[in-house]
Amino acid sequence: MYALMRRQLRFGFSVMLVLVAATMLGCWPEDGGNGTDGGGTDGGGTDGGGTDGGGTDGGGTDGGGTDGGATDGGGTDGGGTDGGGTDGGGTDGGGTDGGGQVGAIVADHLAATAFDLIPAAFIDSVKSNYRIFYGHTSHGSQIVAGMTMIYRADSRYAFNAGAGTLSLQEETGVDLGHEGDTSWAATTRGVLNQPGCDVNMVMWSWCGGVSDNTEQGINTYLQTMNQLESEYPNVLFVYMTGHLDGTGPSGNLYVRNNQIRTYCQTNNKILFDFADIESYDPDGTYYPNGSDWCEWCETWCATHSCPDLDCVDDDDCQHSVCFNCYQKGRAFWWMMARIAGWTGS
């Protein structure tokens, strides 16, 4: 009997130590690492943390869809062409105007073009007020690769480099999966529920999971995102389309991406339109039958003055040409500036 009591005491003491340690660790270590080591255990730091919420009250859902996530999800055909096109790269007003997003924010090919217009004050606001968790695998890494290229060229766009830089925590082993997969939602909750977690924005990307998806499968994705917005009203959630696969306007990808676009426009969500960025060159020429390699990127850079990106195709920019990643990095910063309150003009 005494032996049993000693074992129970030791167990209780061990549990207490675990709880204390968990409380102290919180969501981020303070080493300011690059946040790429398996799911946000290294990186980002909290140095540039800014205010809690960073103008995100409402989680970008001011009018952003009803409880059930609008199960029709925008049907199957609607939502413009494959590129979805949006007026001015982020339509319907956007901006957060002190918290609580008004209208959809869509980062598309026009957003990449408008990158050079971003005021410095909004770059600083983004770095001070947002702490991002981003779940992705290889295709999704293209955004981070583009951000890295921009950072190398201009230190104002620094991230994961200590105080005064944007905090980006990555989970690089999980993406949005395929038909009806919602395992990424449990990963999201696991991050956001950690004691002391200060993440106030979440992004998830697809790999090839839109190409072979169904209307119901995409609805499951949209409903799950909407449910997370309801559970975490002080966190912004960024929706995403799937990368091009060469099937063009007659393919399933085209229909499913338009389903995502229509839902986001209708329900005032934030959308990073991955496919649209791949579909247009900087002159606005549309390439409906392109693939994730971004064939037009090679032609464009052969006839135009592309920046020196210090990048190797299909290595630093996985599955694609470096200019494609660069465009996505530009669209990302445009999106962040809009979320921080910039009107886009």
Side-chain angles (χ1 to χ4, degrees):
M1 179 176 178
Y2 290 114
L4 176 61
M5 291 175 64
R6 284 196 300 272
R7 284 196 298 271
Q8 290 173 332
L9 285 171
R10 284 197 299 271
F11 175 78
F13 183 69
S14 299
V15 170
M16 181 179 69
L17 286 177
V18 169
L19 291 173
V20 169
T23 301
M24 293 176 67
L25 285 172
C27 181
W28 302 81
E30 297 182 0
D31 60 11
N34 62 12
T36 60
D37 223 359
T41 57
D42 273 346
T46 57
D47 298 307
T51 58
D52 190 28
T56 62
D57 279 345
T61 58
D62 186 28
T66 56
D67 290 340
T71 57
D72 285 334
T76 59
D77 289 321
T81 60
D82 187 37
T86 54
D87 287 335
T91 60
D92 296 336
T96 55
D97 198 20
Q101 177 190 322
V102 179
I105 294 176
V106 181
D108 57 10
H109 73 283
L110 295 172
T113 301
F115 166 81
D116 295 318
L117 303 177
I118 303 172
F122 287 99
I123 299 170
D124 292 338
S125 177
V126 168
K127 292 186 292 186
S128 296
N129 293 316
Y130 296 96
R131 297 162 297 281
I132 304 169
F133 172 81
Y134 180 31
H136 65 85
T137 48
S138 56
H139 278 91
S141 72
Q142 292 177 3
I143 298 174
V144 183
M147 292 171 63
T148 301
M149 296 173 203
I150 293 169
Y151 172 19
R152 287 172 183 161
D154 188 341
S155 62
R156 291 180 303 165
Y157 295 95
F159 64 99
N160 291 349
T165 68
L166 180 65
S167 177
L168 177 68
Q169 176 182 353
E170 297 178 75
E171 164 56 72
T172 60
V174 182
D175 56 38
L176 289 170
H178 291 262
E179 173 73 20
D181 177 19
T182 59
S183 59
W184 52 272
T187 302
T188 303
R189 293 183 179 99
V191 170
L192 296 178
N193 290 342
Q194 292 183 56
C197 180
D198 65 351
V199 169
N200 59 8
M201 175 179 276
V202 171
M203 292 199 313
W204 281 97
S205 76
W206 301 91
C207 192
V210 179
S211 293
D212 60 358
N213 223 309
T214 63
E215 180 176 6
Q216 183 52 49
I218 294 299
N219 281 336
T220 298
Y221 159 62
L222 299 172
Q223 292 161 15
T224 304
M225 286 284 283
N226 195 74
Q227 177 60 38
L228 287 168
E229 289 173 323
S230 298
E231 293 176 24
Y232 302 96
N234 294 322
V235 177
L236 291 169
F237 288 83
V238 178
Y239 293 66
M240 205 167 292
T241 54
H243 67 76
L244 296 185
D245 62 6
T247 57
S250 63
N252 183 61
L253 174 76
Y254 182 92
V255 177
R256 301 281 74 84
N257 276 341
N258 278 337
Q259 182 182 349
I260 295 169
R261 292 178 183 121
T262 300
Y263 175 85
C264 290
Q265 288 283 5
T266 302
N267 294 285
N268 300 323
K269 305 298 187 181
I270 302 169
L271 174 66
F272 190 91
D273 201 337
F274 207 91
D276 185 272
I277 296 165
E278 296 176 334
S279 299
Y280 292 85
D281 69 25
D283 281 340
T285 304
Y286 177 43
Y287 299 88
N289 297 305
S291 73
D292 54 341
W293 180 255
C294 190
E295 292 81 3
W296 67 258
C297 290
E298 293 181 305
T299 304
W300 175 268
C301 287
T303 57
H304 294 76
S305 179
C306 286
D308 182 4
L309 301 176
D310 190 20
C311 168
V312 177
D313 293 350
D314 202 24
D315 186 0
D316 298 314
C317 181
Q318 294 193 44
H319 305 295
S320 194
V321 177
C322 291
F323 191 71
N324 186 19
C325 286
Y326 179 66
Q327 290 290 88
K328 286 170 182 157
R330 288 167 62 93
F332 170 83
W333 276 105
W334 180 95
M335 177 185 75
M336 293 303 302
R338 290 297 307 278
I339 290 168
W342 180 45
T343 61
S345 61

